[in-house]
Amino acid sequence: MNHPKTPTAILLLHCPDKQGIIAMVTDFINKNLGNIIYLDQHVDRTEGVFFMRVEWEIDKFLIPKNKIEEYFRTLYANQYDMSFRLYFNDYKPRMAIFVSKMSHCLYDLLARYTAGEWEVEIPLIISNHPDMEVVAKRFGIEYHCFQINKDNKEEQETKEIALLQEKHIDFIVLARYMQVITGNFINHYPNRIINIHHSFLPAFVGAKPYHAAFERGVKLIGATGHYVTTELDAGPIIEQDITRISHKDTVDNLIKKGRDLEKIVLSRSVEKHIQRKILAYKNKTIIFN
Amino acid sequence: MNHPKTPTAILLLHCPDKQGIIAMVTDFINKNLGNIIYLDQHVDRTEGVFFMRVEWEIDKFLIPKNKIEEYFRTLYANQYDMSFRLYFNDYKPRMAIFVSKMSHCLYDLLARYTAGEWEVEIPLIISNHPDMEVVAKRFGIEYHCFQINKDNKEEQETKEIALLQEKHIDFIVLARYMQVITGNFINHYPNRIINIHHSFLPAFVGAKPYHAAFERGVKLIGATGHYVTTELDAGPIIEQDITRISHKDTVDNLIKKGRDLEKIVLSRSVEKHIQRKILAYKNKTIIFN
Amino acid sequence: MNHPKTPTAILLLHCPDKQGIIAMVTDFINKNLGNIIYLDQHVDRTEGVFFMRVEWEIDKFLIPKNKIEEYFRTLYANQYDMSFRLYFNDYKPRMAIFVSKMSHCLYDLLARYTAGEWEVEIPLIISNHPDMEVVAKRFGIEYHCFQINKDNKEEQETKEIALLQEKHIDFIVLARYMQVITGNFINHYPNRIINIHHSFLPAFVGAKPYHAAFERGVKLIGATGHYVTTELDAGPIIEQDITRISHKDTVDNLIKKGRDLEKIVLSRSVEKHIQRKILAYKNKTIIFN
Amino acid sequence: MNHPKTPTAILLLHCPDKQGIIAMVTDFINKNLGNIIYLDQHVDRTEGVFFMRVEWEIDKFLIPKNKIEEYFRTLYANQYDMSFRLYFNDYKPRMAIFVSKMSHCLYDLLARYTAGEWEVEIPLIISNHPDMEVVAKRFGIEYHCFQINKDNKEEQETKEIALLQEKHIDFIVLARYMQVITGNFINHYPNRIINIHHSFLPAFVGAKPYHAAFERGVKLIGATGHYVTTELDAGPIIEQDITRISHKDTVDNLIKKGRDLEKIVLSRSVEKHIQRKILAYKNKTIIFN
């Protein structure tokens, strides 16, 4: 993981399903002397859409790095009506963390970051409360507090967006951030805001899912990592997991057991995003592995 | 498991929580020369209710088997305002299976029954379709077909209830029985009808949960074993489990993967019931282990 | 699943890793008017081996079905030093079940077969005991009993092989068959005998794994589906799963809980084999999904 | 969890199985005006041993807190040949962490500690390397480095033991501490040293279990929390869990996926210990819930 890496390009695409797309893409890479090290594809037959992720080594690629996007678009993407994104493995995406008062997800993200588990930069943490500043300081990361109430939300979000843009933030992780974000904010980061919801969605949408789970008497509790869309808790799901509970568990116990789930499920979701393994389409995700 | 068993009594009780109940119950058993082989208890502090399951060997018990219930009620249960049920391990409960057209749960139940996994009798199978009669015949079990439509449901259910009573049925298992049962029927078997619902309730209540799961793009599908109450898919949950799915899974795949879940979760639920390990209270279950 | 299916070819291959193999294979299919409906590949960088599974519709394929193997070998496989196998989705593989005295895996396999879950034929069941004949009869499947002792093993296996060949058996499933099979027998069916071992291998190799698990005080028990090789319980692993246990579980309980695991893990293994999704290489498997 | 708590006593005991023990213990508590809030028991019929955990409120208990142990021993324990330990919920056990160079388990433990998840004190961290001092500093915890080689192990351990005693350490957590501890050290802390082993024991005992798992081609990797005994990786198991892997996972991936398992399984093990829910007997554990 820490070896000097061969430079690669990662192409994520989707388009109307048609015969010959794989052959075309692999031929494009191959004849320009790219070495494919990963390829996976998926056809959604209900929607008639083809999805693909391909990664190839570009050290001997005939097309210069900064021209690949243009060439691929001109020569192939346009005629197949493709939507595609091109990434390079030598760029570390820049991530902002939003947090309120709970520390478990924040610590888990920062511990991984500090240990070098992820190819990511975390330039700042944003919060609506001062509580977690102490954690940010421990890890030497900037902490910005934007206190939010009914009257100032729009104004504060405008400042947040300005700050995020100034810091060239690529995506945002809501690490148990207890504020609903406005549609305006979300539209600045489509499928680039990851939230952790503390239930196995679509069960227990909204506030206090552990209380609702206790009331219903379920035997499992869950957590869901998903992209934020303008409809609450209804965005494309990235990852879910559950843990077993019993009648002995009080609401406090559910909250406690849930913390472990939340942090693991959130971190798995973030990792997939960092690794460019997620393709969101309509309200679902394709997760390449 | 098949050794000659020492006769035991199993007492399931709940009552308002009070100091000294465990001491009282264990003293009652002990001083009458019963040997406790299992005891578990639970206090629901929100409800202020005490729950207990205790099993003891009665071969040397001073109180005759057919007098235990009366003595316990007179001497203790009344003053503590207890609800309790008393079972003996030498009685095999009698179970009816209701089925429609799918065989996977039915085979799983009958395979266990035939192999002697459970201390239960299955005198009959009831269905609203003739399709599964061939399976019933393979296992030599009576099959009764009550075809049901909008107009005859009440009448058919009356006949079913008469048959169930004639056969001394203690509890009913709905093994993917695709009919809503009326409140009148349910009230004849309170907390004695076990259903398998093919989702992790409360997500995807009602018909076609796999289609709904596919639409929502969840990463897990589930199954729920629960007691049937008059509110659809809302009865006390006995057991739940999930399996992981991906974007590659079509609705047909979900149905396929779901079958394994359904049969295992249903069988675990039925086993807990047979073993007298479930105490339903309001809309939840205490599952002793 | 039961719709009239478009005929497809399935190609499983491995060869020394080299640039351009995917492009070559997809080009071969594409230019001969095959429509790729599935493609997955894997490179084992430690071994330097490339693995691939590709499935394409052959209704308009320019090369006749019975010539595909020859053409592919001549034009491509030889120069890339490929090992490959070609299957067609309109052929149902023929499977024999070997069983001893336990019924749970057998019932699970036969219930799926009867319900049409799998594209497979099961012409016969072989056993070293007469006990399961009653089950075979229920499902109308031939049952052959070859009683085996130290002295007659070789002779009986010779008869079994003759019978399997006469019935054109493609692969064998050991559904808790409690006999070690000789190397001679195994060599007739390399990577075509699937066994279920009742532990999470490599823990608890050999006889009585549940007793060993109880002794060791583990908190999980497992089951492993694997191909049989001449080294006991050491063949390529296809599928594993576990279930949680506790100090309350006796050896009898482990055996009971294990049965559910065994049958599910075995069936998942068999299904992958039937679907041509397994590529065994040395002592491991590539499981395409 | 952070409410002012009613003081309780927790009694863990085991003794030869006999009729009447539960009745005796509950009567002792009840007649002295203790209110039982938890009781669980277990009989190991193979060993003929009775195990019990009972917790009761002592605010109105007739026997003074510092006399309970003596009274219980004199009046009951001696005659029943009991081994027992008595704890009080107002004492926070003191825990030392041993660590080498990996940070994931350490961060997980310290994040929980800092967030107040556990009723524990962590006065110090001991290591054989200086690498993790930076983490200790972030959390304001003493860090002591005892570099160990073949020649100085005994001497260094002597110093460690002195330090642990000086700090009144009750139990030790090896958070991926990559040193074998001598029998002498272990005997100072019998069943009070918790280790995390990065495999589902007894598979892959010893060094490099992920490499061994990769070689064997398993489909699951695991982690095991256990008490350290003088036999390597063979002590009583507290907790195990697994995660699914595939042929796509390199050894580096296994190490990465394993980290999440290790930290969660270790933390669950530590939590059970802190909550006095573990009774180790011979080479197994009873885990009360």
Side-chain angles (χ1 to χ4, degrees):
Chain A
M1 203 177 317
N2 297 312
H3 311 309
K5 288 175 308 187
T6 310
T8 66
I10 298 162
L11 180 66
L12 285 163
L13 66 85
H14 65 86
C15 61
D17 189 27
K18 242 187 185 170
Q19 203 166 311
I21 303 171
I22 303 173
M24 176 277 286
V25 174
T26 54
D27 183 57
F28 161 71
I29 294 168
N30 195 48
K31 77 180 176 204
N32 291 300
L33 307 187
N35 182 36
I36 294 173
I37 58 170
Y38 174 92
L39 182 150
D40 197 11
Q41 52 80 42
H42 170 64
V43 178
D44 183 329
R45 298 191 181 276
T46 323
E47 300 276 341
V49 179
F50 174 86
F51 301 90
M52 187 174 184
R53 183 183 188 273
V54 59
E55 182 170 5
W56 69 97
E57 294 170 343
I58 54 170
D59 47 339
K60 295 169 193 157
F61 205 53
L62 297 182
I63 307 169
K65 197 173 150 184
N66 64 349
K67 291 286 185 182
I68 299 175
E69 183 164 342
E70 180 198 321
Y71 277 46
F72 185 71
R73 185 184 315 281
T74 307
L75 298 173
Y76 305 95
N78 285 341
Q79 64 170 309
Y80 281 92
D81 202 14
M82 281 179 184
S83 300
F84 75 95
R85 280 172 294 142
L86 187 70
Y87 302 102
F88 297 98
N89 76 335
D90 59 1
Y91 175 75
K92 289 191 180 186
R94 294 169 67 79
M95 155 179 159
I97 302 175
F98 279 49
V99 70
S100 287
K101 293 179 166 182
M102 275 170 288
S103 65
H104 57 290
C105 289
L106 180 62
Y107 269 122
D108 199 60
L109 294 167
L110 296 182
R112 290 170 201 271
Y113 176 51
T114 298
E117 282 191 34
W118 292 339
E119 297 288 329
V120 74
E121 295 292 343
I122 305 182
L124 84 164
I125 297 167
I126 286 176
S127 181
N128 55 334
H129 292 287
D131 306 53
M132 289 297 109
E133 183 158 15
V134 58
V135 178
K137 274 193 179 149
R138 283 181 176 175
F139 289 85
I141 297 175
E142 279 184 29
Y143 187 86
H144 297 263
C145 188
F146 294 87
Q147 277 166 338
I148 285 176
N149 54 47
K150 276 180 191 170
D151 300 326
N152 72 354
K153 180 172 254 184
E154 210 173 318
E155 183 191 343
Q156 291 291 63
E157 283 195 351
T158 303
K159 288 182 196 164
E160 288 172 351
I161 293 169
L163 178 62
L164 294 168
Q165 288 174 339
E166 181 201 320
K167 296 284 185 181
H168 304 290
I169 293 303
D170 294 302
F171 73 107
I172 296 161
V173 174
L174 309 183
R176 298 298 314 277
Y177 180 65
M178 306 302 276
Q179 278 284 329
V180 174
I181 293 175
T182 66
N184 175 51
F185 189 121
I186 294 166
N187 290 332
H188 278 77
Y189 293 93
N191 290 330
R192 290 190 283 147
I193 306 173
I194 299 171
N195 183 47
I196 181 71
H197 183 76
H198 37 315
S199 81
F200 47 84
L201 290 174
F204 309 125
V205 165
K208 298 206 171 257
Y210 293 127
H211 290 77
F214 180 80
E215 279 307 306
R216 181 60 190 91
V218 292
K219 300 299 184 188
L220 307 171
I221 54 169
T224 303
H226 65 95
Y227 286 123
V228 175
T229 58
T230 51
E231 191 183 342
L232 187 66
D233 298 333
I237 293 172
I238 302 169
E239 168 72 356
Q240 299 187 286
D241 211 342
I242 57 95
T243 201
R244 196 161 281 277
I245 60 167
S246 84
H247 61 272
K248 289 188 198 280
D249 288 301
T250 59
V251 171
D252 277 351
N253 275 120
L254 301 193
I255 291 170
K256 186 167 193 167
K257 289 188 173 180
R259 279 197 292 254
D260 278 9
L261 263 181
E262 292 162 22
K263 73 186 186 192
I264 296 294
V265 170
L266 178 59
S267 285
R268 283 192 207 142
S269 304
V270 170
E271 180 167 307
K272 291 289 185 189
H273 186 92
I274 291 171
Q275 295 173 340
R276 314 305 193 181
K277 292 193 169 168
I278 311 176
L279 226 169
Y281 181 78
K282 291 191 173 174
N283 209 43
K284 297 189 188 182
T285 59
I286 314 298
I287 309 285
F288 296 103
N289 56 23
Chain B
M1 205 176 317
N2 296 313
H3 312 308
K5 287 177 308 188
T6 310
T8 67
I10 298 161
L11 180 66
L12 284 163
L13 66 85
H14 65 87
C15 62
D17 188 27
K18 242 187 186 170
Q19 203 167 312
I21 302 171
I22 302 174
M24 176 278 284
V25 174
T26 55
D27 184 58
F28 161 72
I29 295 168
N30 194 48
K31 75 182 179 204
N32 290 301
L33 306 187
N35 182 36
I36 294 173
I37 59 169
Y38 174 93
L39 182 150
D40 196 11
Q41 51 80 41
H42 170 65
V43 178
D44 183 329
R45 297 191 182 276
T46 323
E47 300 276 341
V49 179
F50 174 86
F51 301 89
M52 188 173 182
R53 184 183 187 273
V54 59
E55 182 169 5
W56 69 98
E57 294 170 344
I58 55 170
D59 48 338
K60 295 168 193 158
F61 205 53
L62 298 182
I63 306 169
K65 195 174 151 183
N66 64 350
K67 291 285 185 185
I68 298 175
E69 182 165 343
E70 179 199 323
Y71 277 45
F72 185 72
R73 185 184 314 282
T74 308
L75 299 172
Y76 306 95
N78 285 341
Q79 64 169 311
Y80 282 91
D81 201 13
M82 280 179 185
S83 299
F84 75 95
R85 281 170 294 144
L86 188 70
Y87 302 102
F88 298 99
N89 75 335
D90 60 1
Y91 174 76
K92 289 191 181 186
R94 295 169 66 80
M95 156 178 158
I97 301 174
F98 278 50
V99 70
S100 288
K101 293 179 165 181
M102 275 169 288
S103 65
H104 57 290
C105 289
L106 181 61
Y107 268 122
D108 199 60
L109 294 167
L110 296 181
R112 291 170 200 270
Y113 176 53
T114 298
E117 282 189 35
W118 292 338
E119 298 289 328
V120 74
E121 295 292 344
I122 305 181
L124 84 163
I125 296 166
I126 285 176
S127 181
N128 54 334
H129 293 286
D131 306 52
M132 291 295 109
E133 183 157 17
V134 59
V135 178
K137 273 194 178 148
R138 283 181 176 175
F139 289 84
I141 297 176
E142 277 184 31
Y143 188 86
H144 297 262
C145 189
F146 294 87
Q147 278 166 338
I148 284 177
N149 55 47
K150 276 181 189 169
D151 300 326
N152 73 354
K153 179 171 256 186
E154 211 172 316
E155 183 190 342
Q156 291 290 65
E157 283 195 352
T158 304
K159 288 183 195 164
E160 288 172 353
I161 293 168
L163 178 62
L164 294 168
Q165 288 175 338
E166 181 200 322
K167 297 285 185 179
H168 305 289
I169 294 303
D170 294 302
F171 73 106
I172 295 160
V173 174
L174 309 183
R176 299 299 314 276
Y177 180 66
M178 307 302 277
Q179 278 285 328
V180 174
I181 294 175
T182 67
N184 175 51
F185 190 122
I186 294 166
N187 290 332
H188 278 78
Y189 294 94
N191 291 329
R192 289 191 282 147
I193 306 173
I194 298 171
N195 184 46
I196 182 71
H197 183 76
H198 38 316
S199 80
F200 47 84
L201 289 174
F204 310 125
V205 165
K208 298 210 172 253
Y210 293 127
H211 290 76
F214 180 80
E215 279 306 308
R216 180 60 187 91
V218 292
K219 301 298 184 188
L220 308 170
I221 55 170
T224 303
H226 65 96
Y227 286 124
V228 174
T229 58
T230 50
E231 190 183 341
L232 185 67
D233 298 333
I237 293 172
I238 302 169
E239 168 71 357
Q240 300 187 287
D241 212 343
I242 57 94
T243 200
R244 197 162 280 277
I245 61 167
S246 84
H247 62 271
K248 289 188 197 281
D249 289 300
T250 59
V251 171
D252 277 353
N253 275 120
L254 301 194
I255 291 170
K256 186 167 193 168
K257 289 188 170 178
R259 279 197 292 255
D260 278 9
L261 263 182
E262 292 162 22
K263 73 186 187 193
I264 296 294
V265 170
L266 178 59
S267 285
R268 283 192 208 143
S269 304
V270 170
E271 181 168 304
K272 290 289 183 189
H273 186 94
I274 292 171
Q275 295 173 341
R276 314 305 192 182
K277 292 195 168 167
I278 310 176
L279 225 168
Y281 180 77
K282 292 192 173 173
N283 209 43
K284 296 190 188 181
T285 59
I286 313 297
I287 309 285
F288 295 103
N289 56 25
Chain C
M1 202 176 319
N2 296 312
H3 311 307
K5 287 175 308 188
T6 310
T8 66
I10 298 162
L11 179 66
L12 284 164
L13 67 85
H14 65 86
C15 61
D17 189 27
K18 241 186 187 173
Q19 203 166 310
I21 302 171
I22 303 173
M24 176 277 287
V25 174
T26 54
D27 183 58
F28 161 72
I29 294 167
N30 194 48
K31 76 182 177 203
N32 291 301
L33 307 187
N35 183 35
I36 294 173
I37 58 170
Y38 174 92
L39 181 150
D40 197 11
Q41 52 77 42
H42 170 64
V43 178
D44 183 329
R45 297 191 182 278
T46 323
E47 300 277 341
V49 179
F50 175 86
F51 301 90
M52 188 173 184
R53 183 184 188 274
V54 58
E55 181 169 6
W56 70 98
E57 294 171 343
I58 54 170
D59 49 337
K60 295 168 193 157
F61 205 53
L62 298 182
I63 306 169
K65 197 173 151 182
N66 63 350
K67 291 286 186 183
I68 299 174
E69 184 165 341
E70 179 199 321
Y71 278 45
F72 185 71
R73 184 183 314 281
T74 308
L75 298 173
Y76 305 96
N78 285 341
Q79 62 169 309
Y80 282 90
D81 201 14
M82 282 180 185
S83 299
F84 75 96
R85 279 171 296 142
L86 188 70
Y87 301 102
F88 298 99
N89 75 335
D90 60 1
Y91 175 75
K92 289 191 182 187
R94 294 169 67 80
M95 154 179 160
I97 301 174
F98 278 49
V99 70
S100 288
K101 292 179 166 183
M102 275 170 288
S103 65
H104 56 290
C105 288
L106 181 61
Y107 268 124
D108 198 61
L109 294 167
L110 295 181
R112 290 169 200 269
Y113 175 53
T114 297
E117 282 190 34
W118 291 338
E119 297 289 329
V120 74
E121 295 293 343
I122 304 181
L124 85 162
I125 296 167
I126 286 176
S127 182
N128 54 334
H129 292 287
D131 306 54
M132 290 298 109
E133 182 156 19
V134 59
V135 178
K137 273 193 178 148
R138 283 179 176 177
F139 290 83
I141 298 175
E142 278 184 30
Y143 188 86
H144 298 263
C145 189
F146 294 87
Q147 278 165 339
I148 285 177
N149 55 46
K150 278 183 189 169
D151 299 326
N152 74 353
K153 181 171 254 186
E154 210 172 321
E155 180 190 346
Q156 291 291 66
E157 283 196 351
T158 304
K159 287 183 195 164
E160 288 172 351
I161 293 169
L163 178 62
L164 294 169
Q165 288 175 337
E166 180 200 323
K167 296 285 185 179
H168 305 291
I169 293 303
D170 293 303
F171 74 106
I172 295 161
V173 174
L174 309 184
R176 299 298 315 276
Y177 180 65
M178 307 302 277
Q179 278 284 330
V180 175
I181 294 177
T182 66
N184 174 50
F185 190 120
I186 294 166
N187 290 333
H188 277 78
Y189 294 93
N191 290 330
R192 289 190 284 145
I193 306 173
I194 298 171
N195 183 47
I196 181 72
H197 184 76
H198 38 317
S199 81
F200 47 84
L201 288 174
F204 309 125
V205 165
K208 298 209 172 257
Y210 293 128
H211 290 77
F214 180 80
E215 279 307 308
R216 179 61 188 90
V218 291
K219 299 300 183 187
L220 307 170
I221 54 169
T224 304
H226 65 97
Y227 286 122
V228 175
T229 57
T230 50
E231 190 182 343
L232 186 66
D233 297 334
I237 293 172
I238 301 168
E239 168 72 356
Q240 299 188 286
D241 212 344
I242 57 95
T243 201
R244 197 161 282 277
I245 60 167
S246 83
H247 62 272
K248 289 186 196 282
D249 289 300
T250 59
V251 171
D252 277 353
N253 275 121
L254 300 194
I255 291 169
K256 186 168 194 168
K257 289 188 171 180
R259 279 197 291 255
D260 278 9
L261 263 182
E262 292 161 22
K263 74 186 186 191
I264 296 294
V265 171
L266 179 59
S267 285
R268 282 192 208 143
S269 303
V270 170
E271 182 168 306
K272 291 288 184 189
H273 186 93
I274 291 172
Q275 296 173 340
R276 315 305 194 180
K277 291 193 171 168
I278 311 177
L279 226 167
Y281 180 78
K282 292 193 173 174
N283 209 43
K284 298 189 187 182
T285 59
I286 313 297
I287 309 286
F288 296 103
N289 56 23
Chain D
M1 205 176 315
N2 296 313
H3 311 307
K5 289 176 306 188
T6 310
T8 67
I10 298 161
L11 180 66
L12 284 163
L13 67 85
H14 65 87
C15 60
D17 189 26
K18 242 189 186 169
Q19 203 166 312
I21 303 171
I22 302 173
M24 176 278 285
V25 174
T26 54
D27 184 58
F28 161 72
I29 294 168
N30 195 47
K31 75 181 176 203
N32 291 301
L33 306 187
N35 182 37
I36 293 172
I37 59 169
Y38 174 92
L39 181 150
D40 197 10
Q41 51 79 42
H42 170 65
V43 178
D44 183 329
R45 297 192 182 278
T46 324
E47 300 277 340
V49 179
F50 175 86
F51 301 89
M52 187 172 184
R53 183 183 187 274
V54 59
E55 181 171 6
W56 70 98
E57 294 171 343
I58 55 170
D59 49 338
K60 295 170 193 158
F61 206 52
L62 298 181
I63 306 170
K65 196 174 151 184
N66 64 350
K67 291 285 185 185
I68 299 175
E69 183 165 340
E70 179 199 323
Y71 278 45
F72 185 71
R73 184 184 314 281
T74 307
L75 298 173
Y76 305 96
N78 285 340
Q79 65 169 308
Y80 282 92
D81 201 13
M82 281 179 186
S83 299
F84 75 95
R85 280 172 293 143
L86 188 70
Y87 302 102
F88 298 99
N89 75 336
D90 59 1
Y91 175 75
K92 289 191 181 185
R94 295 169 67 79
M95 156 179 159
I97 302 175
F98 279 49
V99 70
S100 289
K101 293 179 166 183
M102 274 171 288
S103 65
H104 57 290
C105 288
L106 181 61
Y107 269 122
D108 199 60
L109 294 167
L110 296 182
R112 290 170 201 270
Y113 176 52
T114 297
E117 282 190 34
W118 291 339
E119 298 288 329
V120 73
E121 295 292 343
I122 305 182
L124 84 164
I125 297 166
I126 285 176
S127 181
N128 54 335
H129 292 287
D131 306 53
M132 290 296 110
E133 184 157 16
V134 58
V135 178
K137 274 194 178 147
R138 283 180 176 176
F139 289 84
I141 297 175
E142 277 183 31
Y143 187 85
H144 297 262
C145 187
F146 294 87
Q147 278 166 337
I148 285 177
N149 55 46
K150 277 182 190 169
D151 300 325
N152 73 353
K153 181 172 251 185
E154 211 172 316
E155 181 191 345
Q156 292 290 65
E157 284 195 351
T158 303
K159 288 182 195 164
E160 288 172 351
I161 294 169
L163 178 63
L164 295 168
Q165 288 175 339
E166 181 200 321
K167 297 283 185 180
H168 304 291
I169 294 303
D170 293 302
F171 73 106
I172 295 161
V173 175
L174 308 183
R176 299 299 313 277
Y177 180 65
M178 306 301 277
Q179 278 284 329
V180 174
I181 294 174
T182 67
N184 175 51
F185 189 121
I186 294 166
N187 290 333
H188 277 78
Y189 293 94
N191 290 330
R192 289 191 282 147
I193 305 173
I194 299 172
N195 184 46
I196 181 72
H197 183 77
H198 38 314
S199 80
F200 46 83
L201 290 173
F204 309 124
V205 165
K208 299 210 172 253
Y210 293 127
H211 290 77
F214 180 80
E215 279 308 307
R216 180 61 189 89
V218 292
K219 300 299 185 188
L220 308 170
I221 54 169
T224 303
H226 65 95
Y227 286 123
V228 175
T229 58
T230 50
E231 191 183 341
L232 186 66
D233 297 334
I237 293 172
I238 301 169
E239 168 72 357
Q240 298 187 287
D241 212 342
I242 56 95
T243 201
R244 197 161 281 277
I245 60 166
S246 84
H247 61 272
K248 288 187 198 282
D249 288 301
T250 59
V251 171
D252 277 352
N253 275 121
L254 301 193
I255 291 170
K256 186 167 193 166
K257 288 187 172 180
R259 279 197 291 255
D260 278 10
L261 263 182
E262 292 161 23
K263 74 186 186 190
I264 295 294
V265 170
L266 178 59
S267 285
R268 283 191 207 144
S269 304
V270 170
E271 181 167 306
K272 291 290 184 191
H273 186 93
I274 291 171
Q275 295 173 340
R276 315 304 193 180
K277 291 193 170 169
I278 311 176
L279 226 167
Y281 180 78
K282 291 191 173 174
N283 209 41
K284 295 189 188 182
T285 59
I286 314 298
I287 309 285
F288 297 102
N289 56 24

